[in-house]
Amino acid sequence: MIKTVAIQGIKGSFHHIVSQNYFKTNISIVPFMSFDQTVDSVLKKETDAAIMAIENSIAGSIIPNYALIDTNNLHVVGEYYLDIQHNLMALPNQKIEDITEVYSHPMALLQCKAFFKQYPHIKLIEDKDTAEVAERIHKKQLKNTGAIASTLAAEIFELDILATSIQTIKHNETRFVIVKQDNSEIAEAEINKASIKFELDHKRGSLATILNVMSDCKLNLTKIQSLPIIETPWKYAFFVDVTFQDYQDFKKAKSIMDIMATHFKVIGQYKNAKI
Amino acid sequence: MIKTVAIQGIKGSFHHIVSQNYFKTNISIVPFMSFDQTVDSVLKKETDAAIMAIENSIAGSIIPNYALIDTNNLHVVGEYYLDIQHNLMALPNQKIEDITEVYSHPMALLQCKAFFKQYPHIKLIEDKDTAEVAERIHKKQLKNTGAIASTLAAEIFELDILATSIQTIKHNETRFVIVKQDNSEIAEAEINKASIKFELDHKRGSLATILNVMSDCKLNLTKIQSLPIIETPWKYAFFVDVTFQDYQDFKKAKSIMDIMATHFKVIGQYKNAKI
């Protein structure tokens, strides 16, 4: 049973939104300032699970988070997709003309750069976290200061939204995973997606052979990514996500792939969040 | 013939090092502050080619650069691998104890964080570019100030290196590509690597079928990466790199894949930089 969840960022952050949307029951969230710290808290059993952004439609896979999950042998027990929308917010009763400085995470500033071109009087300043700026504006009642954050952050820290969805690329879907130290307790009947990792030699046709097994076992591939194995030339690690209708099919594929590939590992088996 | 090359960053940057190592003949480099600007200069024919970092062993693929190359229909005509090493540098005759502030690119600061834990008196400050800080220290003769940059930057801007290879992960290989607007003029006999892109439906076995073709045509896969196609659910784009011994084998595979996959495209065919 998951009761406490480690998230990156404070209340009002995108990880907080995911924790609210994913968990139907009441859970308490524990905020951390880095992904390393969220994983540490799970390993030390201070929290039951962690939520981690793992890929997004603009920047692709977040490889350091894959590495954190893999090297610490955490298990993915669920996934959630969130369409990330950035909003400009400030203390109530201020207009965009009153804002002289906007603080946010470098990535958020970058994604909203085009919007601010219309407002050359606003200075953009890099900060640690999107929601934390919203909190600071609220706590210190900072006038003339804007934050770029979620609508949830605006709600929690009683700020007014001056402009919605100000990022240049309107569709920015981010995939989050829920990770735990032990394997999931999801019933087999509910499992219809899995994340696996394996290694192959740089030998002609070796990946094709594995994919043929997946196909024969009725698995659909939804993601594949190769990563060279550091310090081991000509060896590659593959991270693959597959969906399936029947868990028995996946079980069959697993037992074959385990023989055919080196270091075969199931990173997680869970419920597909896309219908 | 490539005479002028657009690079991201100023002289002494890692892109500058790549331009020196890759081109045997004398070329002139044109520095830009973003990848977008380097690509623009190639499209406007202000420069003959651009050098772009495309993936590295720590963070994986640099997806926005893949997108820049793909959407602007640029051609990859070469590749180069550089092991990125960060060094702490300052004006001559200063010791590490004299340094109170170090400026660098956020990514460089992040990669060297562990090193600076031994020196809590040093304040780390984010800046635009690694080499530009070295240049500024030199120009303004800034004392007590450090830069994190390449040995080439230290050389060019007459700084002393106080500590070498200060990044936490010692092996940080980055792959760069050389892109042009027209197709390469490399002789067919020299071509032994290619980057291709194609789209497939989310249909069981569709990728396996394509990989079987590659394998049958004696192509070796060195990289594969799927990206969901934005706004088109259940369709995936694949970026694949292959190596081969005989260009005729690749030609044969091309003609088959062109029929089997949607939007099949050769992003580049060039000489493999790894032996």
Side-chain angles (χ1 to χ4, degrees), chain A residues 126 204 215 222 224 226 236, chain B residues 126 204 215 222 224 226 236:
Chain A
E126 298 192 354
R204 179 154 63 83
S215 168
T222 61
I224 181 164
S226 65
Y236 294 86
Chain B
E126 297 193 353
R204 178 155 62 83
S215 168
T222 61
I224 181 164
S226 64
Y236 294 86

Side-chain angles (χ1 to χ4, degrees), chain B residues 179-190:
Chain B
V179 295
K180 283 183 67 180
Q181 212 177 359
D182 55 311
N183 212 323
S184 155
E185 58 265 42
I186 307 171
E188 281 192 5
E190 277 193 63

Side-chain angles (χ1 to χ4, degrees), chain A residues 161-208:
Chain A
I161 291 180
L162 299 176
T164 57
S165 191
I166 62 170
Q167 75 279 6
T168 306
I169 303 176
K170 292 305 167 202
H171 183 78
N172 178 14
E173 193 176 61
T174 300
R175 180 180 174 224
F176 296 79
V177 288
I178 292 84
V179 295
K180 282 182 69 181
Q181 212 177 1
D182 55 311
N183 213 324
S184 153
E185 57 265 43
I186 308 170
E188 282 192 3
E190 277 194 62
I191 298 171
N192 57 4
K193 186 167 183 182
S195 297
I196 57 175
K197 185 205 167 188
F198 53 83
E199 296 177 10
L200 291 173
D201 288 322
H202 178 62
K203 221 174 66 191
R204 179 154 63 83
S206 51
L207 180 61

Side-chain angles (χ1 to χ4, degrees), chain A residues 255-266:
Chain A
S255 58
I256 304 173
M257 290 188 286
D258 196 18
I259 298 165
M260 292 176 62
T262 326
H263 300 296
F264 177 81
K265 178 176 161 183
V266 178

Side-chain angles (χ1 to χ4, degrees), chain A:
Chain A
M1 189 64 187
I2 295 172
K3 285 181 182 171
T4 56
V5 175
I7 62 166
Q8 199 235 18
I10 63 163
K11 285 193 179 179
S13 68
F14 293 105
H15 283 79
H16 182 207
I17 296 176
V18 172
S19 77
Q20 286 194 335
N21 295 1
Y22 181 83
F23 292 100
K24 275 103 202 173
T25 53
N26 247 340
I27 50 136
S28 54
I29 58 160
V30 186
F32 289 98
M33 272 302 132
S34 76
F35 285 114
D36 289 61
Q37 290 171 332
T38 65
V39 165
D40 267 357
S41 83
V42 172
L43 293 175
K44 288 180 187 153
K45 298 186 200 303
E46 293 165 359
T47 54
D48 300 324
I51 296 176
M52 293 172 86
I54 197 81
E55 58 185 304
N56 78 62
S57 51
I58 298 173
S61 297
I62 304 164
I63 301 290
N65 286 358
Y66 268 94
L68 270 176
I69 294 170
D70 183 27
T71 52
N72 292 299
N73 286 311
L74 294 174
H75 295 270
V76 173
V77 298
E79 62 170 10
Y80 188 83
Y81 290 85
L82 183 72
D83 192 21
I84 288 192
Q85 298 291 323
H86 289 302
N87 308 282
L88 177 63
M89 56 194 69
L91 286 177
N93 303 318
Q94 295 206 88
K95 290 190 195 123
I96 202 158
E97 290 73 30
D98 303 325
I99 306 301
T100 54
E101 288 180 338
V102 168
Y103 295 78
S104 197
H105 189 272
M107 200 51 79
L109 291 174
L110 193 71
Q111 289 171 2
C112 304
K113 223 164 65 179
F115 170 83
F116 286 105
K117 277 204 180 141
Q118 328 161 49
Y119 304 102
H121 70 283
I122 296 177
K123 209 176 142 190
L124 302 176
I125 302 154
E126 298 192 354
D127 216 299
K128 267 193 300 230
D129 184 65
T130 56
E132 212 188 34
V133 177
E135 185 190 38
R136 195 166 69 221
I137 293 173
H138 169 71
K139 271 197 181 161
K140 299 192 179 170
Q141 289 288 303
L142 297 174
K143 283 195 176 165
N144 313 110
T145 310
I148 303 172
S150 68
T151 50
L152 180 66
E155 223 172 84
I156 294 175
F157 302 117
E158 299 164 17
L159 302 182
D160 275 6
I161 291 180
L162 299 176
T164 57
S165 191
I166 62 170
Q167 75 279 6
T168 306
I169 303 176
K170 292 305 167 202
H171 183 78
N172 178 14
E173 193 176 61
T174 300
R175 180 180 174 224
F176 296 79
V177 288
I178 292 84
V179 295
K180 282 182 69 181
Q181 212 177 1
D182 55 311
N183 213 324
S184 153
E185 57 265 43
I186 308 170
E188 282 192 3
E190 277 194 62
I191 298 171
N192 57 4
K193 186 167 183 182
S195 297
I196 57 175
K197 185 205 167 188
F198 53 83
E199 296 177 10
L200 291 173
D201 288 322
H202 178 62
K203 221 174 66 191
R204 179 154 63 83
S206 51
L207 180 61
T209 312
I210 293 279
L211 292 192
N212 287 336
V213 170
M214 293 185 193
S215 168
D216 290 345
C217 292
K218 300 182 193 152
L219 309 186
N220 283 313
L221 188 135
T222 61
K223 186 202 166 105
I224 181 164
Q225 181 174 284
S226 65
L227 278 184
I229 301 168
I230 296 172
E231 323 283 1
T232 317
W234 304 116
K235 265 224 159 207
Y236 294 86
F238 294 88
F239 287 92
V240 174
D241 289 345
V242 288
T243 60
F244 40 84
Q245 302 233 318
D246 186 345
Y247 183 69
Q248 297 310 317
D249 288 331
F250 177 62
K251 258 175 112 167
K252 192 177 147 198
K254 254 199 310 194
S255 58
I256 304 173
M257 290 188 286
D258 196 18
I259 298 165
M260 292 176 62
T262 326
H263 300 296
F264 177 81
K265 178 176 161 183
V266 178
I267 294 173
Q269 40 190 44
Y270 45 92
K271 219 176 132 179
N272 186 359
K274 294 218 163 176
I275 3 72

